Amino acid sequence: MRVDVIVPVFRDNAALKQLLELSAEREILKRMRVVFGEPDAAGQALAERCGVIWTRAERAGRASQM
């Protein structure tokens, strides 16, 4: 069974960085998807450096991002 983790992010790159660093240690980044609630170049660059798949939601909000 495969389980992917969806991480909704809205203006919190510090927490995203901590999560990605912890996840890298546990080798689950390949199953993680980051969904930004608004355009965020710094957060997107961070996700790309970590090799995480990311996208932007049409609008901000946890339900929309999930």
Side-chain angles (χ1 to χ4, degrees):
M1 177 169 77
R2 180 183 165 119
V3 176
D4 287 347
V5 177
I6 299 172
V7 181
V9 177
F10 184 75
R11 299 181 183 168
D12 200 353
N13 291 335
L16 176 61
K17 182 178 179 189
Q18 286 181 322
L19 175 66
L20 294 177
E21 288 171 353
L22 288 171
S23 300
E25 294 171 7
R26 290 166 178 77
E27 299 181 20
I28 63 168
L29 289 178
K30 293 177 184 172
R31 295 186 171 182
M32 188 176 292
R33 310 292 184 259
V34 175
V35 182
F36 291 95
E38 67 179 25
D40 184 345
Q44 293 164 3
L46 174 63
E48 286 177 2
R49 277 194 308 273
C50 292
V52 175
I53 295 171
W54 65 269
T55 189
R56 278 180 257 154
E58 290 184 21
R59 60 182 182 195
R62 187 177 299 138
S64 299
Q65 290 171 252
M66 296 301 279

